[in-house]
Amino acid sequence: MTEHEPKENRAVQTAAEVLDLSPVIPVVALDDAEQAVPLARALRDGGIRTIEITLRTPAGLPAIERVAAEVPGIVPGAGTITEPGQAELAARAGAHYLVTPGTTDRLLDDVEASGLPYLAGASTVSEAMRLAERGATAMKFFPAEPSGGTAYLKAIAGPLPELRFCPTGGISPDNAPDYLALPGVRCVGGSWLSPPDLLAAGEWTRIAELAAEAAALG
């Protein structure tokens, strides 16, 4: 656990609690950190309780820092953790949880060392079982649609009934209800709540409406 924030002060303590924050976790890649606060407020006003800000752009870390400091009521997470060192940087910026697209032992060791709960990505039975062996029973299913979608998750529910997933990748308002109807799915991740055109135009009211529609899926 890092020294910057005591565990008891975090909004979520476990990966299972991350899955229960909202039926949809908005996955956001920002080019401008100035957009982070109004975006997070719009999502919160629509009933979404978390935002996954990815580290795909240089604005990712400062955006997490802004949301953590300025937007109470929404839990910031850091996504696209792919390299050792990023987990600690995200934790120091104020992320309450971490999300990885895949699993390697080196990356998982680093993520676990941060002390934050995490959703590690798995797209195969072997990857899911490896995570379970490390004590992780809540994980990200990515890329969901290319990896077999709802049919795949139904197939592995028999041998692995204890696992819980956040499918991400190809999720939309059209297929999200199908995923959320599965007993092993607690939430989905998607980027449709903050499309680039709405971000560029500052259409925060429309984003709040999309958030409300997503929150109603739960």
Side-chain angles (χ1 to χ4, degrees), residues 79-120:
T80 319
I81 302 292
T82 59
E83 300 176 4
Q86 289 180 319
E88 178 63 16
L89 291 174
R92 290 183 179 278
H96 285 230
Y97 63 91
L98 307 170
V99 184
T100 77
T103 58
T104 68
D105 289 332
R106 184 184 178 200
L107 182 61
L108 290 175
D109 288 343
D110 194 68
V111 166
E112 290 174 355
S114 75
L116 295 180
Y118 65 91
L119 298 175

Side-chain angles (χ1 to χ4, degrees), residues 7-187:
K7 185 176 180 180
E8 59 270 16
N9 290 343
R10 296 194 208 118
V12 288
Q13 310 293 327
T14 67
E17 291 175 348
V18 175
L19 297 186
D20 288 335
L21 286 171
S22 290
V24 179
I25 296 180
V27 181
V28 179
L30 293 174
D31 292 318
D32 183 358
E34 293 295 321
Q35 297 173 325
V37 168
L39 171 60
R41 286 173 176 161
L43 293 170
R44 180 197 61 191
D45 293 347
I48 295 295
R49 296 182 55 215
T50 186
I51 180 173
E52 177 191 332
I53 298 174
T54 71
L55 303 191
R56 301 175 194 173
T57 69
L61 287 172
I64 292 169
E65 190 170 9
R66 291 285 303 274
V67 172
E70 301 178 42
V71 191
I74 193 162
V75 181
T80 319
I81 302 292
T82 59
E83 300 176 4
Q86 289 180 319
E88 178 63 16
L89 291 174
R92 290 183 179 278
H96 285 230
Y97 63 91
L98 307 170
V99 184
T100 77
T103 58
T104 68
D105 289 332
R106 184 184 178 200
L107 182 61
L108 290 175
D109 288 343
D110 194 68
V111 166
E112 290 174 355
S114 75
L116 295 180
Y118 65 91
L119 298 175
S123 62
T124 69
V125 172
S126 294
E127 289 173 338
M129 291 176 66
R130 283 183 62 220
L131 287 170
E133 286 180 355
R134 296 181 72 123
T137 56
M139 59 195 69
K140 175 179 177 176
F141 176 48
F142 177 82
E145 282 290 283
S147 297
T150 56
Y152 189 90
L153 289 176
K154 288 177 183 177
I156 68 173
L160 302 172
E162 74 281 5
L163 300 186
R164 298 294 178 264
F165 295 95
C166 175
T168 306
I171 310 298
S172 70
D174 294 329
N175 60 17
D178 297 330
Y179 281 95
L180 292 168
L182 300 177
V185 172
R186 305 289 284 274
C187 65

